[in-house]
Amino acid sequence: MRNTLTKIGALVLGGVLLFSAAPAQATTADDPYSVMDVVIKAPKKVKAGGKIHYEISAVNTGPHVADYYFLGGKLPKGIVDRLYWDGPKGTKCEWDDSGFWCWGDWVLKKGHEDWLEIDVRLKKSTKGTAVAQLGALVYDIPTGMENLSKEEVDRLGGFDVWFYGKKVKTKIVR
């Protein structure tokens, strides 16, 4: 069961709790079920019309398995409307105005890693700095709800959503 990208985007753009990518240990009921330690790699400079290669790596530091999470985020402005991506076998992705998000059909156990690579090409007219907001979007879905219909999950609502990400800046040179 996965939510549509439109709903994810609404949560991200509607004020999802933003955290740095540094891990933390969950100790209270208000803490996330799964904390992600996220590393983002990208070039510091790229020529106008060139390619930016992003690498996202997320390790679940716990305390629980992550069974409802996405990797990706908001891509920079000034890119062509086509991209290339790679991830573990079974990864699926969607792209709309809220960002580019990918997920798998698996749970991420504590201490395990997931990854995603994204290649975008800049338009030749793009100037300045390409800014992306990338990382892991993690939902706190209670155990036993994974088999409910999307309509029932939406009706129940009220789930915490955590974004562990980083702003990535790439200077565009001529």
Side-chain angles (χ1 to χ4, degrees), residues 2-40:
R2 293 287 178 182
N3 286 323
T4 64
L5 189 57
T6 305
K7 184 172 181 182
I8 295 167
L11 288 170
V12 171
L13 298 175
V16 171
L17 298 174
L18 294 177
F19 287 85
S20 70
Q25 291 300 323
T27 57
T28 70
D30 293 335
D31 289 334
Y33 293 171
S34 304
V35 176
M36 296 285 188
D37 182 12
V38 176
V39 174
I40 311 287

Side-chain angles (χ1 to χ4, degrees), residues 120-137:
V120 297
R121 182 159 304 277
L122 295 170
K123 295 177 182 175
K124 290 183 181 185
S125 61
T126 304
K127 299 176 183 178
T129 302
V131 179
Q133 182 79 26
L134 302 172
L137 186 67

Side-chain angles (χ1 to χ4, degrees), residues 93-165:
C93 299
E94 290 185 22
W95 187 15
D96 76 3
D97 293 339
S98 71
F100 182 74
W101 298 100
C102 298
W103 65 93
D105 294 327
W106 58 87
V107 298
L108 192 61
K109 295 179 182 176
K110 181 179 176 183
H112 289 212
E113 175 185 20
D114 197 0
W115 60 275
L116 179 67
E117 294 181 7
I118 305 170
D119 290 328
V120 297
R121 182 159 304 277
L122 295 170
K123 295 177 182 175
K124 290 183 181 185
S125 61
T126 304
K127 299 176 183 178
T129 302
V131 179
Q133 182 79 26
L134 302 172
L137 186 67
V138 183
Y139 286 74
D140 285 353
I141 302 291
T143 302
M145 294 190 66
E146 61 275 358
N147 294 322
L148 293 178
S149 70
K150 178 185 178 302
E151 291 77 22
E152 186 66 7
V153 170
D154 289 346
R155 185 185 72 78
L156 295 171
F159 305 112
D160 288 330
V161 182
W162 309 86
F163 182 72
Y164 301 95

